[in-house]
Amino acid sequence: MSMRLHPGETEAVGWRVVTVLDAVRQLRDASPDVTGRPRVIAIDGRGGAGKTTLAERLRNMVPNSAVMHTDDIAWNHAYFDWGAVLVENILQPLHRGEAVHFRPDAWITHDRLGSITIPAGADFIWV
């Protein structure tokens, strides 16, 4: 069974299989000047493609890493209007090397428990 691409989508070609740890090493080696803050790696794909499964596998395999789900930022938020919330409350503190402890406004308004928490000092953040 092959996947049908939508108009304007390009086919991915030139794939090669690497181990998860080799992929992480490549990501680390591609950013040798990053110090005092985590490398933030975005995992993209269609719904049901396995993004969460991959992120959790990476978190389990890579010491000192954490997962941040964009679905948590976008929860009960306008469809595409949550980018600034992500930048201001997650990415900027991480870039400064700070921990994140954030409750989006929608969580407060709709009584969702908990918060988005990422410890300071992580080497990788899987988004």
Side-chain angles (χ1 to χ4, degrees):
M1 182 170 115
S2 64
M3 180 177 9
R4 292 183 184 214
L5 298 174
H6 295 282
E9 289 184 317
T10 57
E11 184 176 356
V13 296
W15 290 94
R16 67 184 174 90
V17 176
V18 298
T19 68
V20 172
L21 291 178
D22 282 342
V24 171
R25 281 187 204 103
Q26 289 174 13
L27 291 166
R28 183 198 59 223
D29 294 347
S31 53
D33 297 332
V34 174
T35 58
R37 61 185 170 90
R39 290 166 175 85
V40 177
I41 309 297
I43 301 170
D44 191 21
R46 293 180 173 181
K51 299 177 297 292
T52 298
T53 300
L54 175 60
E56 289 301 325
R57 184 174 177 196
L58 287 162
R59 185 188 58 75
N60 287 329
M61 293 184 75
V62 179
N64 203 27
S65 69
V67 173
M68 202 294 303
H69 299 278
T70 57
D71 287 349
D72 288 338
I73 294 286
W75 185 80
N76 256 325
H77 209 284
Y79 192 62
F80 287 114
D81 192 28
W82 49 267
V85 176
L86 173 67
V87 169
E88 183 177 330
N89 298 285
I90 306 294
L91 298 179
Q92 287 177 348
L94 290 174
H95 187 79
R96 293 189 300 262
E98 299 170 359
V100 171
H101 187 78
F102 174 62
R103 282 184 50 79
D105 290 341
W107 289 30
I108 296 166
T109 302
H110 297 280
D111 295 323
R112 179 176 172 177
L113 298 176
S115 63
I116 298 168
T117 304
I118 304 170
D123 293 324
F124 284 92
I125 308 298
W126 313 107
V127 179

